[in-house]
């Protein structure tokens, strides 16, 4: 299979960090790597797996510990100052801050290894730590997407120089929040990791012992304020839960209409000012993010229903029951909005999902590599992988009809405006593999060859790669 030069290429690849330099060590992970050594027979492919799969635990779990007992989040000096609430600060690549979406996706990579465990050195503790810290962050600033290290960690705060160039409403505290772009998928990611942890372990502690229920209330209130139309019935501008303008030379870093974005009509869906790529939306009803939010709001409602059945206090039973119904009603309304407004007839592919719509009839036909994407709709379980509209959309997204389909001798995959033309994202190749219904396996094999062809001999997955120049890449 190898697209590289066998053992010669393998020797060029950078190894994992030395054991003493790894941030979080897991025997379960090491046993998995050892077990697969004999299963993945291509040496280059195994080296890529050996380097990339543990990378989050090796390099990105910058701190894990427990919440401070006093509830203020102040640094503590000994174990008597702490609670039993796990926290885990997971940085995003080369930025010393925690993105809600990225940290959830990074840790969800270890879902196949997740087992119930109370040990603070377990993968389960990292999952709990991310859920609990994200819960804290969301209550601080529900419209923000990236946050500073928790005070308990004693990690120095990061500096975001865009802070003074951006005007955000509601304003945020830069000592707590690193950056504040309203991206619906950030809140969907919290619902996602919460649901997957519960489904895998059955553990209810993160949802009943701390303030997960209150976080769900904050989420529902925040998104409700972003479901409104731009105009009131009498023609005034309706209040918006979030607005943002930025002083920038990149159109994707700011919004139109003094922070409101382009006008929308009410559809039942939720406006998202920015995409998961951190780029501004054109039409604010971003379909992949609404799909993801609806899908995991439904799933998380099962946790809330279980909280109701386990509660003994009348007020808590009523609260959980109300939230369960509210979650399921909203998820259904979002799904109805997508079905009514986001299925567009394409002259070549028939009915497909639009990437963005505004409720007035305008739509943006494209797909972006970042998750969630239209390509990932079946992977996240919003639709069946055999759903005809999805299959049509998949064909569209993987064709030259998609304006961000990049193709060349190095890699052919979806990219996006974040890195621009000619830059394909290996992430999109991975999603293509995971959504493939090709029984022969040929599609997956071809994509794996493409991924091996993009490492530039470094043995890691890059953010984006020039499809005509393997040495022109970003991040790894």
């Amino acid at each position: 299979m190898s697209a590289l030069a066998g053992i010669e290429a393998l020797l060029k690849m950078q190894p994992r960090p030395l054991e003493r330099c790894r941030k979080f060590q897991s025997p379960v992970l090491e046993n998995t790597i050892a077990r697969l050594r004999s299963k993945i027979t291509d040496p280059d492919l195994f080296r890529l797996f050996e380097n990339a799969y543990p990378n989050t635990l090796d390099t990105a779990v910058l701190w894990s510990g427990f919440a401070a007992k006093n509830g203020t989040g102040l640094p503590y000096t000994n174990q008597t100052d702490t609670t039993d609430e796990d926290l885990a600060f997971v940085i995003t690549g080369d930025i010393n801050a925690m993105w809600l979406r990225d940290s959830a996706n990074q840790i969800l990579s270890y879902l196949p290894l997740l087992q119930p465990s109370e040990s603070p050195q377990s993968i389960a503790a990292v999952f709990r730590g991310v859920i609990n810290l994200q819960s804290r962050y969301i209550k601080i600033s529900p419209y923000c997407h990236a946050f500073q290290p928790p005070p308990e960690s004693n990690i120095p705060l990061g500096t975001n120089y865009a802070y003074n160039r951006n005007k955000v409403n509601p304003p945020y505290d830069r000592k707590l929040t690193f950056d504040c772009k309203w991206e619906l998928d950030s809140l969907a990611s919290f619902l996602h990791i919460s649901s997957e942890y519960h489904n895998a372990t059955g553990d209810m502690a993160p949802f009943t012992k701390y303030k997960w229920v209150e976080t769900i209330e904050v989420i529902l209130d925040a998104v409700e304020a972003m479901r409104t139309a731009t105009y009131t019935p009498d023609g005034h501008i309706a209040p918006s839960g979030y607005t943002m303008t930025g002083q920038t030379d990149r159109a994707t870093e700011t919004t139109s209409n003094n922070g409101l974005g382009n006008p929308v009509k009410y559809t039942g869906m939720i406006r998202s000012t920015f995409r998961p790529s951190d780029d501004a939306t054109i039409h604010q009803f971003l379909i992949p993010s609404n799909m993801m939010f609806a899908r995991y709001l439904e799933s998380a409602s099962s946790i809330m229903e279980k909280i109701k059945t386990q509660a003994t206090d009348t007020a808590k039973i009523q609260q959980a029951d109300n939230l369960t119904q509210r979650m399921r009603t909203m998820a259904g309304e979002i799904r109805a909005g997508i079905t009514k407004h986001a299925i567009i007839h394409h002259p070549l592919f028939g009915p497909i999902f639009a990437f963005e719509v505004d409720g007035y009839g305008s739509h943006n036909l494209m797909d972006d590599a970042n998750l969630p994407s239209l390509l990932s709709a079946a992977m996240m379980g919003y639709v069946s992988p055999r759903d005809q509209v999805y299959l049509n959309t998949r064909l569209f997204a993987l064709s030259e009809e998609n304006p961000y389909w990049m193709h060349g001798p190095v890699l052919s995959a979806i990219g996006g405006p974040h890195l621009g033309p000619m830059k394909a994202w290996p992430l999109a190749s991975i999603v293509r593999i995971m959504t493939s219904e090709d029984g022969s396996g040929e599609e997956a094999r071809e994509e794996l060859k493409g991924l091996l062809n993009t490492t530039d001999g470094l043995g890691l997955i890059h953010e984006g790669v020039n499809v005509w120049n393997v040495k022109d890449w970003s991040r790894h």
Side-chain angles (χ1 to χ4, degrees):
M1 175 190 293
S2 180
L4 301 179
I7 195 68
E8 180 182 352
L10 183 149
L11 292 174
K12 290 180 182 178
M13 290 185 179
Q14 294 179 350
R16 289 175 66 187
L18 295 174
E19 186 173 344
R20 67 175 182 272
C21 299
R22 297 171 190 168
K23 302 298 184 183
F24 189 95
Q25 298 190 33
S26 165
V28 175
L29 174 65
E30 300 305 326
N31 291 339
T32 299
I33 293 172
R35 177 174 58 84
L36 291 177
R37 186 179 297 275
S38 62
K39 304 290 185 181
I40 305 175
T41 57
D42 182 284
D44 294 327
L45 183 58
F46 178 75
R47 174 57 68 86
L48 183 60
F49 170 78
E50 184 182 32
N51 286 354
Y53 189 56
N55 190 255
T56 290
L57 296 185
D58 285 354
T59 67
V61 183
L62 214 57
W63 174 83
S64 60
F66 297 96
K69 183 180 292 185
N70 58 20
T72 64
L74 294 175
Y76 51 79
T77 57
N78 57 68
Q79 287 302 108
T80 62
D81 295 333
T82 70
T83 67
D84 62 354
E85 182 182 2
D86 293 286
L87 299 178
F89 180 67
V90 182
I91 63 171
T92 297
D94 54 358
I95 302 175
N96 192 28
M98 183 164 160
W99 264 245
L100 298 181
R101 169 192 58 256
D102 293 354
S103 59
N105 283 333
Q106 286 166 271
I107 298 306
L108 281 164
S109 299
Y110 305 112
L111 185 60
L113 311 184
L114 177 59
Q115 300 172 347
S117 175
E118 295 183 2
S119 168
Q121 301 304 315
S122 65
I123 287 178
V126 180
F127 270 80
R128 290 192 298 271
V130 169
I131 292 168
N132 293 334
L133 188 53
Q134 286 195 2
S135 178
R136 176 193 291 185
Y137 287 152
I138 290 167
K139 286 191 287 288
I140 290 170
S141 299
Y143 293 116
C144 298
H145 69 301
F147 294 85
Q148 298 282 11
E152 292 97 329
S153 70
N154 286 310
I155 297 173
L157 301 182
T159 300
N160 182 5
Y161 295 101
Y163 177 82
N164 292 321
R165 300 195 301 269
N166 294 340
K167 182 179 179 181
V168 175
N169 187 52
Y172 63 94
D173 185 346
R174 66 192 302 183
K175 293 181 180 179
L176 302 174
T177 302
F178 180 80
D179 198 11
C180 195
K181 290 180 173 178
W182 164 234
E183 301 169 358
L184 175 60
D185 65 278
S186 293
L187 300 185
S189 295
F190 172 73
L191 300 175
H192 184 189
I193 193 169
S194 295
S195 299
E196 296 292 7
Y197 175 82
H198 172 257
N199 292 340
T201 67
D203 179 18
M204 289 292 291
F207 315 113
T208 57
K209 288 184 69 175
Y210 310 113
K211 296 183 178 180
W212 187 84
V213 172
E214 288 82 351
T215 302
I216 295 297
E217 287 186 305
V218 169
I219 288 172
L220 293 176
D221 289 344
V223 299
E224 191 63 52
M226 295 303 291
R227 297 175 82 196
T228 57
T230 300
Y231 305 111
T232 63
D234 64 0
H236 287 85
I237 297 173
S240 178
Y242 171 93
T243 61
M244 181 273 190
T245 56
Q247 294 179 347
T248 177
D249 59 1
R250 291 173 60 94
T252 56
E253 293 294 316
T254 188
T255 61
S256 60
N257 294 316
N258 199 31
L260 287 171
N262 290 318
V264 298
K265 291 181 71 175
Y266 179 81
T267 64
M269 292 184 280
I270 302 164
R271 290 183 284 131
S272 187
T273 310
F274 289 88
R275 300 169 180 168
S277 59
D278 296 345
D279 301 313
T281 51
I282 297 172
H283 305 305
Q284 294 186 70
F285 294 128
L286 179 59
I287 301 308
S289 293
N290 272 274
M291 288 176 167
M292 183 181 182
F293 191 84
R295 160 69 176 88
Y296 291 111
L297 192 63
E298 292 165 342
S299 183
S301 73
S302 297
I303 302 176
M304 191 65 72
E305 186 174 47
K306 194 170 181 180
I307 291 171
K308 182 189 74 171
T309 61
Q310 293 181 352
T312 56
D313 179 85
T314 302
K316 290 185 177 180
I317 292 172
Q318 189 61 54
Q319 179 191 35
D321 183 59
N322 291 342
L323 287 172
T324 301
Q325 298 309 315
R326 191 176 172 193
M327 294 164 80
R328 290 174 177 171
T329 298
M330 183 181 290
E333 290 170 350
I334 294 169
R335 281 186 175 270
I338 291 172
T339 300
K340 181 177 180 179
H341 296 278
I343 298 177
I344 308 299
H345 184 83
H346 191 280
L348 297 180
F349 299 100
I352 66 171
F353 290 113
F355 188 68
E356 296 168 348
V357 300
D358 63 2
Y360 286 100
S362 298
H363 53 265
N364 179 13
L365 299 185
M366 58 168 279
D367 201 14
D368 188 292
N370 282 268
L371 295 178
S373 60
L374 292 176
L375 186 63
S376 71
M379 187 176 80
M380 70 174 90
Y382 180 81
V383 292
S384 161
R386 294 181 176 84
D387 178 87
Q388 192 59 55
V389 177
Y390 170 73
L391 290 173
N392 295 346
T393 306
R394 190 177 190 275
L395 289 172
F396 160 79
L398 301 175
S399 79
E400 292 181 48
E401 293 299 307
N402 175 7
Y404 287 101
W405 168 256
M406 313 300 175
H407 55 101
V410 174
L411 181 67
S412 293
I414 300 168
H418 195 68
L419 295 182
M422 291 184 65
K423 294 291 182 68
W425 289 56
L427 172 62
S429 288
I430 295 170
V431 175
R432 182 174 183 176
I433 291 169
M434 296 181 72
T435 59
S436 176
E437 289 288 299
D438 177 13
S440 71
E442 186 60 27
E443 183 178 26
R445 282 190 290 271
E446 287 301 311
E447 293 306 304
L448 286 173
K449 288 179 183 178
L451 288 171
L452 284 170
N453 204 36
T454 67
T455 69
D456 193 23
L458 298 177
L460 288 167
I461 300 291
H462 297 299
E463 175 189 48
V465 180
N466 187 321
V467 297
W468 282 88
N469 180 4
V470 71
K471 296 191 175 299
D472 180 15
W473 48 265
S474 62
R475 294 174 168 161
H476 64 268

